[in-house]
């Protein structure tokens, strides 16, 4: 099982992407709608970060932040 490649378990077209200007609220709604725990943050066709459920909890809610752009 652990000798499988990452490519063999990834589902094409299932990646959730958003631009850096996406708000935390928008990203959370996207993740909920797609039943996924992360959004790939893409700018000009390149990956600039990954925003996860953990980011929502620890970097936003726990610090009392309001909905803000994904400043990755």
């Amino acid at each position: 099982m652990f000798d499988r490649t990452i490519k063999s378990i990834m589902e094409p077209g299932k990646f959730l992407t958003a631009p850096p200007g996406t708000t935390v609220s928008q990203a959370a709604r996207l993740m909920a709608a797609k039943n996924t725990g992360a959004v790939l943050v893409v700018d000009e066709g390149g990956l600039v970060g990954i925003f996860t459920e953990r980011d929502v909890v620890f970097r936003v809610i726990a610090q009392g932040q309001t909905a803000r752009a994904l400043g990755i």
Side-chain angles (χ1 to χ4, degrees), residues 16-68:
L16 184 58
T17 62
T22 302
T23 66
V24 170
S25 295
Q26 291 169 326
R29 283 193 296 274
L30 285 170
M31 287 189 284
K34 297 293 184 175
N35 194 31
T36 189
V39 175
L40 301 177
V41 184
V42 178
D43 192 23
E44 296 182 15
L47 181 66
V48 295
I50 301 173
F51 186 75
T52 67
E53 295 169 324
R54 183 176 173 86
D55 292 319
V56 174
V57 173
F58 290 97
R59 297 173 77 184
V60 181
I61 296 171
Q63 296 195 13
Q65 300 290 322
T66 58
R68 58 187 168 90

